[in-house]
């Protein structure tokens, strides 16, 4: 899944700059700098820990017989999207916890953008352009097969990615505390 588009005035300006350029020009735009690669790598790395803790939670919930169909007994084969849905379906979450779990799903879309799209820098702005040639992403976004030679693009200000990273780090810290607490609690249910 990809992030939902947000049309702020600034992002519309960046999109207009992108739309005014042809692809031959865009591929000459600056490549990401070391600090851009570090930002992307850090974001993706944070999500490896988020995923680790989500898998811990869903596995222990399944062992404690807390998962309902279609997830019960299938945790070893679930995609990470299914893991998230299975966890969200568990009874007893507070409203705050449900909001946090939904935010993980939203930020996963950013993680997927960062991890699967090529990235260039806008020449005169602190902003990124993300480019892909993915028929599956095109179909999800637009509901059909992509025409030949069509690329998908997305734009983001650097500051948005930095803010998303800070939020993801907070969620990772929350899950790192939550997973062992739930494991300990659910182990008692198994006894």
């Amino acid at each position: 899944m990809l992030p939902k588009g947000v049309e702020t005035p600034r992002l519309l300006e960046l999109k207009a700059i992108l739309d005014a350029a042809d692809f031959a020009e865009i591929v000459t735009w600056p490549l990401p700098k070391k600090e851009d690669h570090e930002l992307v790598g850090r974001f993706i790395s944070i999500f490896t820990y988020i995923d680790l803790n989500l898998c811990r939670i869903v596995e222990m919930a399944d062992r404690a017989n807390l998962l309902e169909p279609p997830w019960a007994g299938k945790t070893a084969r679930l995609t990470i999207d299914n893991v998230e849905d299975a966890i969200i379906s568990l009874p007893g979450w507070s409203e705050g916890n449900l909001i946090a779990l939904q935010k993980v799903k939203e930020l996963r879309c950013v993680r997927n953008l960062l991890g699967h799209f090529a990235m260039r820098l806008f020449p005169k702005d602190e902003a990124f352009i993300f480019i892909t040639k993915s028929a599956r992403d095109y179909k999800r976004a637009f509901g059909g097969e992509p025409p030949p030679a069509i690329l998908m693009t997305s734009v983001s200000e650097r500051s948005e990615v930095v803010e998303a990273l800070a939020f993801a780090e907070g969620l990772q810290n929350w899950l790192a505390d939550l997973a062992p607490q739930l494991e300990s609690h659910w182990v008692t249910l198994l006894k």
Side-chain angles (χ1 to χ4, degrees), residues 114-130:
L114 296 173
H116 299 288
F117 280 51
M119 187 169 82
R120 290 282 181 162
L121 305 177
F122 276 79
K124 297 176 184 169
D125 296 278
E126 286 287 313
F128 304 124
I129 173 177
F130 299 98

Side-chain angles (χ1 to χ4, degrees), residues 84-141:
E84 290 169 341
D85 292 339
I87 291 171
I88 288 170
S89 78
L90 290 169
W93 290 116
S94 69
E95 183 179 345
N97 285 344
L98 282 173
I99 290 169
L101 290 166
Q102 287 294 341
K103 193 65 177 176
V104 169
K105 287 180 73 76
E106 289 173 28
L107 287 175
R108 179 169 310 286
C109 296
V110 176
R111 180 261 174 254
N112 292 344
L113 180 78
L114 296 173
H116 299 288
F117 280 51
M119 187 169 82
R120 290 282 181 162
L121 305 177
F122 276 79
K124 297 176 184 169
D125 296 278
E126 286 287 313
F128 304 124
I129 173 177
F130 299 98
I131 309 164
T132 193
K133 181 70 177 148
S134 168
R136 184 168 45 150
D137 287 338
Y138 187 94
K139 190 170 189 171
R140 283 182 181 165

Side-chain angles (χ1 to χ4, degrees), residues 54-73:
L54 291 174
C55 289
R56 289 172 66 190
I57 291 168
V58 80
E59 178 186 75
M60 188 54 72
D62 197 23
R63 288 183 184 210
N65 295 314
L66 297 172
L67 287 181
E68 298 287 330
W71 305 289

Side-chain angles (χ1 to χ4, degrees), residues 2 45 59-60 78 80 92 173:
L2 301 175
S45 179
E59 178 186 75
M60 188 54 72
L78 296 178
I80 197 64
N173 290 333

